[in-house]
Amino acid sequence: MRTVTLPRGRLRQTYSFALQADGGVLPLKWTLVSGDLPPGMQLFSDGVLRGAPTQAGEFSFVVSVRDNGKPPVERSQPLTLKVITPLLVEWSRPPKVIGQRVEGAIKVTNGTDEDFDLTAVIVAVNEIGRATALGYQHFKLKKNVSEYEIPFGENLPFGAYDLNVDVVGEVPEANEIYRARLAPTEKIQVTQGP
């Protein structure tokens, strides 16, 4: 079997890779012997691994290829497909209220092999729809950087706020855009006035 490693897949992005084998009487027939493909992926009998993975992680499985000889010759190969999240945003320090000030931090991860033009906007929106920027960053996030911290904070008037984090990673050369959102499950309550 010629294929012993697989290129990485990206979460919710179309993936297609043709497995290769040397020799044998054509046509070759491929099957999944054991293990699990990423959800959203399928191995076709012609050896094409295709789909859009819906879960990130490392998925190990064994494939078998059988030729059309009499008797048929069969070979098996263990493989691992790593599915990455191109742009991951998580809380580094969840938002909290200190007096009138709301502050916290997010961490961003570039799981690709390409540098991003990264834009992060953190906004608090009150009951009447007035938005206040708590943080804005625009910079080049290098490839394979994990958990880069972006702090935010601002004084807000008395009220209840929905907090929204929107992050966009652009790779202009490849015409690719990745987006990620983050929001706390509950409103932010500022109980002190100016």
Side-chain angles (χ1 to χ4, degrees), residues 42-161:
Q42 188 174 352
L43 175 63
F44 293 88
S45 62
D46 63 358
V48 175
L49 188 57
R50 183 180 302 128
T54 60
Q55 185 178 327
E58 284 194 10
F59 299 86
S60 296
F61 49 92
V62 176
V63 297
S64 171
V65 61
R66 176 182 287 189
D67 77 355
N68 203 29
K70 306 284 188 234
V73 176
E74 187 170 350
R75 298 281 184 266
S76 295
Q77 177 68 46
L79 295 169
T80 299
L81 176 56
K82 184 174 183 179
V83 177
I84 61 165
T85 303
L87 175 60
L88 180 63
V89 179
E90 300 172 289
W91 295 115
S92 175
R93 287 180 284 129
K96 66 179 178 178
V97 179
I98 303 167
Q100 283 184 257
R101 186 168 176 82
V102 175
E103 58 183 44
I106 60 171
K107 54 187 176 182
V108 293
T109 297
N110 178 349
T112 73
D113 295 325
E114 304 160 315
D115 295 345
F116 286 163
D117 277 337
L118 190 96
T119 304
V121 180
I122 300 97
V123 176
V125 181
N126 72 4
E127 302 95 339
I128 61 169
R130 181 178 178 273
T132 302
L134 302 183
Y136 171 85
Q137 295 280 328
H138 179 85
F139 60 95
K140 185 75 81 176
L141 182 64
K142 297 293 187 185
K143 61 185 175 183
N144 295 313
V145 167
S146 293
E147 300 186 357
Y148 182 88
E149 188 173 81
I150 300 173
F152 61 86
E154 187 61 61
N155 290 332
L156 294 173
F158 174 86
Y161 295 85

